[in-house]
Amino acid sequence: MEPVRTGSKKYKDQSWISQLFKKKTCTTFLPDPDDKSGEQCQCGYSRSCHKSVAVEDNFGAAIITKWHTSQHTTEEPTDAFGDVEFAGAGKKYRKFIRLSSETNPEIVYHLIVSHWKIPPPNLVVSVIGGGVSSNMKTRVKDILRKGLVKAAQSTGAWIITEGLRVGAGKHVGKAVRDHSTATTSSTGKVIALGVVPWGLVHNRECLINPKGSSPAKYSLTDVDGPTYSLDSNYSAFMLVDDGTNQKVGGEKYFRARLEDFISQQKTKGGAVGSIEIPVLCMLIEGEPSILERVYKATEQKDIPWLILAGSGGIADFLSELVQESLDPEEVRAVVTERLKKLFPNEENIPHLADLVEKILKNKDLLTVYSDEDGQEEFDTVILKSLVKACKKSSNVAEYLDELKLAVAWNRADIASSELFKGDIQWKSSDLEDSMTDALIGNKKDFVKLFVDNGLNIAEYLTYGRLEELYSSVPENSLLHLLLSKKHVEWKDSSMKGHESNLPPGTSKGPTFRLYEVSKILKYFMGDLSIPFYTHLTENGKAYSTKKNSYHNYQMVKMDEVNYATKHSPTPWIDLFIWAILQNLGDMAIYFWEMQGSESVASALAACRILKEMSRIESEAESSQAMKDLSIKFEQLAQDVFSECYRNSEDKAFILLVRHSVVWGKATCLQLATHADARNFFALDGVQSLLTQIWWGEMDRTTEVWKLLLTFFCAPLMYTNLIKFKHADKLEMVQNLEQDVGDVDAILTMGSQMCLGNQDVDSNKEEGSDDVKKEKQPNNFNPEVAAIKESPRPFVMVRWKQFWSAPVTSFLGNVIMYFAFLLLFAYILLMDFKGPPPEGPSQAEFVLYFWVFTLVCEEIRQSFFIGKLPVAQKLKQYLLDVWNQCDMTAILLFIIGLICRMFKTSYDAGRVIFCIDYMVFTLRLIHIFAVNKQLGPKIIIVGKMMKDVFFFLFFLGVWLVAYGVATQSLLYPSDGRLEWIFRRVLYRPYLQIFGQIHLDDIDAARIGRRNCTNDPVELINGELPPCANIYANWLVILLLVIFLLVTNILLLNLLIAMFSYTFSKVQGNSDIYWKFQRYNLIVEYHSRPALAPPFIILSHIHVFIKRNIRKKASLKSKHFMLELTEQQDSQLMTWEAVQKENYLVQRDRLKRDSDRERLKRTSQKVDGILKNMTEIKEHDRRLKALEAELDKCTDALTWLMESMANSDLIKSSRPPPNIKD
């Protein structure tokens, strides 16, 4: 039947309810034999409650002796439905409806879900039995009040009971109330539904309203029967009417049909990954009539039952039979005997015994929950019951729903122990849907479980499935917001003017593609690496161009069809990126552990992405979580690289500077720089590499005075004053000739090639493309060939070794910069001549040329380094604070130069030059940052500058307050603006440092002097202003307060801030310094060997070499090494081995921790308790076997005695005696 639309007019007036739902009315009055007065019908109603037609049917009453609801009732429109308000239970309304026991369960389910807006269940637990028991055991109450409701809340289940304030329904209601009071989450609400016999509802007359109650006022009353009040803690009530009064039975038939219909529905509304809603019946106590219900549910519907042992009644009877191992031939006799003993007044024992025999044939659908199972969580017991119900079949398909249910409940432990024990042969294809659910639900344990049990991740992850994962991100997440934004941008740019030509289904909700993902990754990674997935989305330039947009859109759709079924070559990397973009910490770390290569680079890239995400995340908690996760990945990168460095220094160096194939040709050092991973740069391995680059071919232990001496006396470089690595290198090359096939040796040589050995191969600076390298034979060694084919003279080799080292370039720049400052100071102090034609002097012309070479170097750094567009190069250049300082100094110099050339602005030019000299001098701070002692202190000073700005803000407030007050009190007649600023700001500032002129403030010390208050005389400057001595005591008081606040409070506050900053930064200053040291080394590694002003020669040489001779430079690659495919594969294998070693050590430390020991001890205790339970079971079985043996022994003894006394058999020896 089609559900009713909630937005229709019919829905609003609720008249449709009475048309769909009916009630039952007795049509034949049959006197109850137990009623002596004859005024009571077998339906339970009195004669007066029947219609006249029912009472006057004497002929029908005479023929029929037994009343039945299907024959003696008629259906009429229901007259009780709507909302009910329970007195004393607050303003919370509950839904209810009176309906016939023959009602179609489909319309009831749609009423609950669509009209009453109760969320569809993931599970239905139907509590059977325990209806009117008042002597329920405490353990049973605890299971209902704690275990059942907690399981329902954690699994999203419906609990169905009779919904009355009696028996099991009462205790379930109390548990729901306690849970609602304890939790504030709307998503964790427990849904309890009452399927109530209409005839058992106390005070049901107040619910009757043919037009619908909104709400009906219902008073709660504790009564002992035969009717009972509804429980106010239930969400909804279905008042099942079978035409009887104060009788049960009709609701059981309707309830069974409703449960059967729900079991055929899908969770999640039938969406992807949904399963059929599991239904579990929970048996508590129970009368013999429940056996019929158990039989139909197990035999016809395959609905599992959870039997609560120890609750009494049929539950205990069935639990004993299920736990015992009875001989099939003896089942009938044992069942009959126990039924007679348990229910001596029951007449239909043979029929009940038949039902029990049939029920026991489906033992797999029966699970007993006994006292020994009390240690398990109730949701665990429920899931085990559902899994056990499938074990009657060996078909994998029978277990898929239970596996999806375990995923939905996030119970990987149960799935591991029940579904992945080895008895079920799972295929990789069987786990793919559940794998998708686990990924979308962020259930790392299940992902790991599936991978460990045969899921082939390479076959699983296609590009189409990857897009499905991105399309399933939560709508309130940052990733969904960014994807939607990119999707709308593409749609607006490419669909403009073609809205009418869009393919069908395009207007539906956005399905995100890898195009949007690549744009987001480009946004986070910047120009650091080549954009991801461009090989999929740029066929025919479909995404990149805006011309012919609709044609491009059609090409995109065709491309989607082509690449959606393709398998990803790097599935772990793709899943790792997917998890990082969603900030799924545990999942991302697992994917990082599983990927076979690029461990260090991937961790640093994740650090970069997470920090960028935290910067734009609006929610504080999510932003902090992203920052915490970025710290974890930075730590992982440090740990893995440290493990690599301990194993092999040379390979670790290559790992830092090699092009990453996965991360778009970026290196680890580049990724760490953009991720601001300062701790990574503080590692010994990274610093060792930087030191090796810094010194080049010179010995790193060379003293500074030797460098200075050689710098000023170049021939000393050909002596033994400075040691070089040339001799060692030639020996290494000779060794390589003997074993050129060793990949490790090739990699070692590659590191030497990368770290500055430009002197050996003259063609190495020119470079060769990668294609040529790949065409070379495997045993080709470029270093050996370079030495053999193009040996260079010793003079040239040693010259290049000395001057190409970054330390030499740095030393030359420092010396020449000091010379520049001396020249600049000399000109300002002694040789700054007037404007032309008097000046400038020759020294000043030298200074101008020097600054010109500085400008040329800054232009080279900003526009001629790297392969980025000019705008991005300029932007990246200006991000550096010291580059901004250089730009400021150069601009000031140009302005000062222009001004000093004209007589009118000559003095202004001199002032600008003086200020510019200060800026140039401050530039020395950056130069001395390389020093290990000064570098950290410079960082601390930089941090303290922020504290100074805060201090100046507070100080400025007090200066203005005090200055304005004292000026208005002392000199109210002085209107000269320049003197007002002096007395308001300048004088109070000097008073802080002790310059207090009391002769101008204190009336007692103000002597007689010529002064005036005439504004004209004050403006002309003829006389000073007269001080106002009225309220002079207030001026003195303000001075005292001002000095007290500034000198004691604010200055001590500044000192405290400095102390806090120092103590905070001191511990990390070394890390910051090492990070700055890297930037400084990169800068001077890329600089020409000569310093300004001689750097112009290097610029001319580079220009000729690059533009005329067309030779590339190795330095332009900035620590980048391009390995061959074989070398890269070997290096990645080595890195993967080191990562595994690190993970093994980490897991070992984790296992040895106290927490893990306690966890293992707890697991062992649980295992012991489980074994004890099994031992008890074996003990019980052994006792039963002993009893049977005793019985057999007695029978044999009797047989021997009888035969001994008989003359039938004669024996020559006496019978054997039974030994004790």
Side-chain angles (χ1 to χ4, degrees):
M1 181 175 293
E2 207 173 304
V4 178
R5 297 182 181 272
T6 58
S8 63
K9 181 179 179 181
K10 195 174 186 180
Y11 168 79
K12 294 179 180 179
D13 58 22
Q14 297 189 7
S15 61
W16 59 273
I17 294 181
S18 59
Q19 298 176 13
L20 287 178
F21 297 92
K22 309 295 182 181
K23 68 175 183 178
K24 279 193 173 184
T25 304
C26 180
T27 58
T28 305
F29 179 83
L30 295 179
D32 188 353
D34 297 331
D35 183 28
K36 298 181 180 179
S37 64
E39 295 296 321
Q40 189 80 12
C41 179
Q42 294 183 20
C43 67
Y45 288 99
S46 62
R47 183 185 295 271
S48 60
C49 297
H50 286 70
K51 295 182 179 179
S52 58
V53 177
V55 177
E56 293 174 357
D57 190 10
N58 298 324
F59 179 76
I63 297 176
I64 302 172
T65 58
K66 189 172 182 180
W67 188 91
H68 195 276
T69 180
S70 61
Q71 300 176 2
H72 305 117
T73 58
T74 184
E75 291 187 346
E76 299 177 357
T78 183
D79 57 0
F81 58 90
D83 298 330
V84 56
E85 179 184 354
F86 292 90
K91 292 293 183 180
K92 295 181 180 180
Y93 298 159
R94 311 298 182 187
K95 303 292 184 179
F96 77 98
I97 186 171
R98 178 184 181 183
L99 47 83
S100 169
S101 58
E102 306 292 335
T103 303
N104 187 345
E106 180 179 0
I107 64 173
V108 177
Y109 181 76
H110 286 301
L111 173 73
I112 298 172
V113 174
S114 301
H115 182 62
W116 289 350
K117 303 298 182 181
I118 295 177
N122 294 325
L123 167 71
V124 173
V125 179
S126 181
V127 181
I128 310 295
V132 296
S133 174
S134 59
N135 298 322
M136 190 172 292
K137 297 180 180 179
T138 303
R139 171 178 168 270
V140 178
K141 295 179 183 179
D142 291 339
I143 292 175
L144 292 176
R145 297 184 61 181
K146 298 178 182 178
L148 179 59
V149 173
K150 180 181 178 182
Q153 186 269 336
S154 62
T155 58
W158 285 0
I159 302 176
I160 300 180
T161 71
E162 291 186 353
L164 298 173
R165 291 173 60 87
V166 64
K170 178 179 180 180
H171 295 290
V172 171
K174 289 182 178 179
V176 172
R177 179 197 62 196
D178 296 341
H179 177 272
S180 301
T181 304
T183 183
T184 57
S185 174
S186 58
T187 58
K189 183 180 179 182
V190 177
I191 305 298
L193 304 179
V195 181
V196 190
W198 170 258
L200 287 185
V201 178
H202 181 72
N203 195 22
R204 57 182 179 270
E205 294 80 10
C206 64
L207 302 175
I208 297 176
N209 186 350
K211 295 183 179 180
S213 301
S214 56
K217 304 293 184 179
Y218 188 87
S219 58
L220 297 173
T221 306
D222 290 329
V223 291
D224 295 332
T227 59
Y228 304 93
S229 297
L230 298 175
D231 197 306
S232 61
N233 299 303
Y234 282 69
S235 301
F237 300 93
M238 284 151 282
L239 310 178
V240 183
D241 186 6
D242 62 346
T244 62
N245 179 38
Q246 299 180 2
K247 295 184 178 182
V248 298
E251 83 287 350
K252 298 178 181 178
Y253 171 68
F254 168 78
R255 184 170 169 181
R257 291 189 299 115
L258 178 63
E259 293 165 359
D260 179 50
F261 176 80
I262 295 177
S263 66
Q264 301 173 20
Q265 306 307 302
K266 294 282 188 178
T267 59
K268 304 179 183 178
V272 178
S274 62
I275 61 173
E276 291 186 351
I277 300 175
V279 176
L280 177 70
C281 294
M282 181 177 176
L283 179 59
I284 302 174
E285 297 182 347
E287 298 296 328
S289 59
I290 292 182
L291 290 174
E292 187 79 27
R293 172 80 185 277
V294 176
Y295 163 69
K296 290 182 179 180
T298 54
E299 184 68 23
Q300 301 175 6
K301 309 298 182 182
D302 288 336
I303 295 178
W305 283 70
L306 179 62
I307 303 172
L308 192 58
S311 59
I314 286 296
D316 287 352
F317 171 72
L318 287 178
S319 63
E320 293 177 359
L321 293 176
V322 170
Q323 291 177 332
E324 291 181 7
S325 301
L326 297 177
D327 190 346
E329 298 179 356
E330 299 179 355
V331 171
R332 178 78 181 191
V334 173
V335 169
T336 302
E337 180 182 354
R338 294 185 181 180
L339 284 173
K340 290 180 179 179
K341 182 179 180 181
L342 187 61
F343 307 104
N345 298 325
E346 183 63 37
E347 299 177 356
N348 201 3
I349 295 294
H351 175 66
L352 296 179
D354 291 338
L355 293 177
V356 173
E357 282 190 272
K358 295 177 181 179
I359 291 172
L360 293 179
K361 292 180 181 179
N362 296 304
K363 271 189 176 183
D364 291 329
L365 295 173
L366 305 177
T367 301
V368 178
Y369 184 67
S370 59
D371 292 332
E372 289 79 5
D373 299 326
Q375 59 188 345
E376 289 187 307
E377 295 290 340
F378 202 72
D379 55 351
T380 304
V381 177
I382 292 175
L383 184 55
K384 286 184 176 180
S385 302
L386 298 174
V387 173
K388 180 183 176 183
C390 299
K391 290 189 175 180
K392 60 183 181 180
S393 173
S394 59
N395 188 6
V396 173
E398 298 292 336
Y399 295 89
L400 290 179
D401 282 352
E402 274 60 39
L403 178 60
K404 291 182 178 180
L405 185 64
V407 173
W409 293 2
N410 197 20
R411 294 308 303 264
D413 53 341
I414 300 177
S416 177
S417 61
E418 300 294 332
L419 298 176
F420 293 95
K421 296 189 298 184
D423 52 345
I424 306 174
Q425 300 301 321
W426 295 99
K427 298 179 181 178
S428 178
S429 57
D430 298 331
L431 303 175
E432 289 183 352
D433 291 341
S434 297
M435 179 68 167
T436 303
D437 295 339
L439 288 172
I440 295 175
N442 187 24
K443 297 165 183 175
K444 188 261 294 185
D445 293 335
F446 271 102
V447 174
K448 186 176 184 300
L449 181 65
F450 295 151
V451 173
D452 294 341
N453 286 274
L455 179 71
N456 189 341
I457 196 68
E459 292 293 330
Y460 164 78
L461 192 64
T462 61
Y463 288 117
R465 185 166 275 131
L466 185 60
E467 288 184 342
E468 178 185 349
L469 293 177
Y470 277 107
S471 300
S472 302
V473 298
E475 294 185 359
N476 60 345
S477 64
L478 175 63
L479 177 59
H480 189 278
L481 177 64
L482 295 175
L483 288 172
S484 301
K485 183 179 179 181
K486 297 298 180 183
H487 182 79
V488 172
E489 290 177 358
W490 171 82
K491 192 173 180 180
D492 291 343
S493 61
S494 59
M495 297 294 106
K496 189 174 183 181
H498 299 281
E499 290 82 358
S500 59
N501 298 327
L502 289 177
T506 311
S507 60
K508 296 182 179 180
T511 300
F512 303 126
R513 296 152 304 143
L514 296 181
Y515 165 72
E516 287 91 358
V517 179
S518 66
K519 290 295 183 182
I520 292 176
L521 289 175
K522 181 176 177 58
Y523 173 75
F524 287 140
M525 299 295 292
D527 298 297
L528 178 62
S529 62
I530 300 174
F532 285 79
Y533 309 121
T534 53
H535 63 289
L536 302 174
T537 59
E538 288 186 350
N539 294 335
K541 301 294 182 181
Y543 286 120
S544 58
T545 181
K546 294 184 179 180
K547 297 180 180 180
N548 197 10
S549 300
Y550 182 64
H551 172 68
N552 289 336
Y553 176 79
Q554 290 178 324
M555 294 182 67
V556 169
K557 299 304 290 184
M558 295 177 61
D559 291 338
E560 287 179 356
V561 176
N562 293 333
Y563 77 76
T565 57
K566 292 182 180 179
H567 293 86
S568 170
T570 55
W572 292 115
I573 295 291
D574 292 328
L575 291 175
F576 173 73
I577 295 173
W578 171 79
I580 286 296
L581 291 176
Q582 290 194 83
N583 193 29
L584 306 179
D586 294 338
M587 194 81 78
I589 292 176
Y590 172 70
F591 292 148
W592 176 83
E593 293 174 354
M594 293 300 296
Q595 66 186 56
S597 61
E598 306 282 357
S599 301
V600 178
S602 297
L604 293 173
C607 183
R608 156 78 177 186
I609 294 173
L610 288 166
K611 286 185 177 180
E612 289 296 317
M613 291 173 60
S614 67
R615 183 175 55 83
I616 62 176
E617 175 60 62
S618 57
E619 296 184 3
E621 292 184 2
S622 299
S623 178
Q624 186 60 42
M626 293 173 183
K627 293 178 182 178
D628 295 341
L629 185 57
S630 69
I631 294 174
K632 289 183 180 179
F633 275 106
E634 184 178 353
Q635 185 63 45
L636 289 173
Q638 297 174 43
D639 295 339
V640 174
F641 179 76
S642 298
E643 184 69 25
C644 294
Y645 180 70
R646 284 191 292 268
N647 183 267
S648 174
E649 291 187 14
D650 292 330
K651 294 179 183 177
F653 292 164
I654 301 174
L655 193 64
L656 292 175
V657 298
R658 63 171 283 275
H659 282 294
S660 173
V661 179
V662 173
W663 295 100
K665 303 297 182 180
T667 67
C668 289
L669 290 178
Q670 287 179 323
L671 291 169
T673 303
H674 286 77
D676 198 23
R678 295 184 175 91
N679 291 318
F680 183 80
F681 283 100
L683 296 176
D684 293 338
V686 179
Q687 290 299 309
S688 179
L689 172 65
L690 296 179
T691 302
Q692 189 167 345
I693 295 174
W694 179 247
W695 287 97
E697 288 299 304
M698 289 183 289
D699 188 1
R700 67 181 66 182
T701 60
T702 304
E703 290 84 353
V704 177
W705 67 268
K706 293 182 180 181
L707 288 176
L708 290 172
L709 190 60
T710 307
F711 184 83
F712 289 104
C713 186
L716 290 177
M717 71 178 66
Y718 301 108
T719 65
N720 292 328
L721 182 65
I722 298 178
K723 294 182 180 180
F724 292 87
K725 302 178 182 177
H726 185 64
D728 297 337
K729 182 162 184 265
L730 289 177
E731 182 181 353
M732 181 178 62
V733 171
Q734 293 174 1
N735 295 333
L736 282 175
E737 286 182 298
Q738 301 174 4
D739 189 13
V740 294
D742 188 358
V743 177
D744 290 342
I746 294 175
L747 291 177
T748 304
M749 175 57 64
S751 68
Q752 297 293 334
M753 292 169 61
C754 173
L755 302 181
N757 299 334
Q758 299 93 346
D759 59 298
V760 179
D761 187 3
S762 61
N763 295 326
K764 185 176 147 192
E765 280 195 7
E766 303 171 8
S768 59
D769 55 27
D770 300 336
V771 178
K772 292 182 180 179
K773 290 182 180 179
E774 293 180 0
K775 290 182 179 180
Q776 294 170 349
N778 293 333
N779 60 353
F780 175 77
N781 195 306
E783 193 74 13
V784 178
I787 295 176
K788 289 183 177 181
E789 294 178 5
S790 58
R792 306 180 70 179
F794 172 76
V795 175
M796 298 298 297
V797 170
R798 183 56 56 89
W799 179 273
K800 194 173 181 78
Q801 283 180 327
F802 179 78
W803 290 107
S804 63
V807 64
T808 308
S809 176
F810 172 77
L811 185 62
N813 277 272
V814 171
I815 295 173
M816 298 310 296
Y817 198 77
F818 273 108
F820 167 76
L821 293 178
L822 289 174
L823 178 61
F824 202 168
Y826 168 77
I827 292 172
L828 289 177
L829 296 174
M830 302 179 64
D831 199 17
F832 195 78
K833 297 183 178 181
E838 181 183 352
S841 63
Q842 293 181 357
E844 201 168 347
F845 276 115
V846 174
L847 179 66
Y848 297 161
F849 177 75
W850 205 317
V851 174
F852 170 74
T853 60
L854 292 175
V855 173
C856 293
E857 175 60 19
E858 295 301 322
I859 293 175
R860 187 194 68 84
Q861 291 182 19
S862 57
F863 295 105
F864 295 97
I865 293 181
K867 299 180 181 180
L868 299 177
V870 175
Q872 295 182 4
K873 287 181 179 179
L874 183 60
K875 180 181 179 181
Q876 187 174 359
Y877 171 81
L878 292 176
L879 289 176
D880 192 344
V881 177
W882 295 111
N883 288 335
Q884 297 175 13
C885 181
D886 292 336
M887 291 290 294
T888 303
I890 292 172
L891 289 175
L892 286 175
F893 190 89
I894 295 173
I895 296 173
L897 175 60
I898 295 173
C899 292
R900 69 99 56 228
M901 292 298 177
F902 302 96
K903 190 174 183 179
T904 55
S905 58
Y906 170 78
D907 292 330
R910 184 185 184 93
V911 171
I912 294 174
F913 272 141
C914 293
I915 297 174
D916 191 34
Y917 180 81
M918 294 179 61
V919 178
F920 274 116
T921 306
L922 290 175
R923 189 66 171 78
L924 284 173
I925 296 176
H926 177 57
I927 295 177
F928 290 114
V930 73
N931 186 270
K932 192 170 184 179
Q933 283 72 35
L934 294 178
K937 303 302 184 293
I938 293 173
I939 295 171
I940 294 176
V941 171
K943 295 290 183 180
M944 288 182 174
M945 290 300 296
K946 298 180 181 179
D947 297 334
V948 172
F949 283 111
F950 287 109
F951 169 77
L952 291 178
F953 169 76
F954 292 110
L955 181 62
V957 172
W958 277 102
L959 282 175
V960 173
Y962 169 74
V964 171
T966 54
Q967 171 67 15
S968 62
L969 288 173
L970 289 174
Y971 304 103
S973 301
D974 193 355
R976 294 173 297 175
L977 188 61
E978 65 277 9
W979 282 96
I980 290 176
F981 275 103
R982 284 190 178 186
R983 296 192 184 108
V984 169
L985 298 177
Y986 181 60
R987 186 177 62 185
Y989 180 76
L990 294 179
Q991 288 175 350
I992 298 176
F993 301 99
Q995 295 188 18
I996 304 174
H997 300 284
L998 294 178
D999 295 339
D1000 299 332
I1001 298 176
D1002 191 356
R1005 302 186 60 175
I1006 298 177
R1008 293 183 179 181
R1009 60 183 177 180
N1010 294 328
C1011 61
T1012 182
N1013 289 326
D1014 186 3
V1016 177
E1017 294 180 353
L1018 290 175
I1019 294 175
N1020 295 330
E1022 298 177 0
L1023 293 173
C1026 296
N1028 183 17
I1029 61 175
Y1030 177 77
N1032 187 257
W1033 61 271
L1034 183 58
V1035 175
I1036 301 301
L1037 180 61
L1038 290 177
L1039 175 63
V1040 173
I1041 296 175
F1042 172 72
L1043 294 178
L1044 178 67
V1045 172
T1046 54
N1047 285 16
I1048 297 178
L1049 180 60
L1050 291 183
L1051 287 179
N1052 281 280
L1053 174 63
L1054 180 63
I1055 294 172
M1057 293 169 65
F1058 281 170
S1059 300
Y1060 173 76
T1061 301
F1062 183 85
S1063 60
K1064 181 180 178 181
V1065 178
Q1066 178 65 23
N1068 299 322
S1069 60
D1070 186 64
I1071 296 175
Y1072 283 93
W1073 167 73
K1074 289 179 179 179
F1075 182 69
Q1076 285 190 350
R1077 179 173 180 257
Y1078 163 76
N1079 294 326
L1080 191 68
I1081 292 175
V1082 171
E1083 177 183 349
Y1084 283 96
H1085 180 268
S1086 63
R1087 279 195 173 189
L1090 299 178
F1094 307 107
I1095 198 172
I1096 192 67
L1097 300 177
S1098 297
H1099 290 164
I1100 296 173
H1101 174 260
V1102 171
F1103 177 79
I1104 295 173
K1105 196 172 184 179
R1106 305 291 174 260
N1107 296 279
I1108 298 177
R1109 299 177 62 188
K1110 303 296 182 181
K1111 292 185 178 180
S1113 174
L1114 181 66
K1115 281 190 174 182
S1116 63
K1117 296 184 178 180
H1118 286 284
F1119 301 0
M1120 297 180 185
L1121 178 63
E1122 189 76 31
L1123 299 178
T1124 63
E1125 183 177 353
Q1126 181 184 9
Q1127 292 173 347
D1128 193 72
S1129 177
Q1130 290 285 341
L1131 184 65
M1132 289 297 96
T1133 303
W1134 172 79
E1135 183 198 23
V1137 172
Q1138 306 312 313
K1139 183 186 72 173
E1140 291 300 324
N1141 293 338
Y1142 158 70
L1143 294 177
V1144 169
Q1145 294 177 7
R1146 186 190 66 177
D1147 293 340
R1148 185 184 299 114
L1149 293 176
K1150 184 178 179 181
R1151 286 195 302 269
D1152 294 339
S1153 63
D1154 295 338
R1155 181 178 179 181
E1156 289 299 318
R1157 288 181 178 179
L1158 289 174
K1159 185 177 180 180
R1160 291 197 299 271
T1161 304
S1162 176
Q1163 292 175 350
K1164 290 179 180 179
V1165 171
D1166 292 341
I1168 293 173
L1169 292 176
K1170 187 176 181 180
N1171 292 334
M1172 290 180 64
T1173 302
E1174 295 177 355
I1175 292 173
K1176 290 181 179 179
E1177 175 66 19
H1178 292 312
D1179 184 61
R1180 185 186 61 79
R1181 292 183 179 181
L1182 288 174
K1183 288 182 179 179
L1185 183 60
E1186 289 179 358
E1188 294 294 332
L1189 288 175
D1190 291 341
K1191 184 177 179 181
C1192 293
T1193 303
D1194 293 340
L1196 289 173
T1197 303
W1198 175 83
L1199 183 60
M1200 288 189 300
E1201 291 177 354
S1202 299
M1203 296 182 68
N1205 297 328
S1206 174
D1207 295 334
L1208 295 177
I1209 300 176
K1210 299 294 184 178
S1211 177
S1212 59
R1213 59 186 181 87
N1217 296 324
I1218 301 176
K1219 298 181 180 180
D1220 297 334

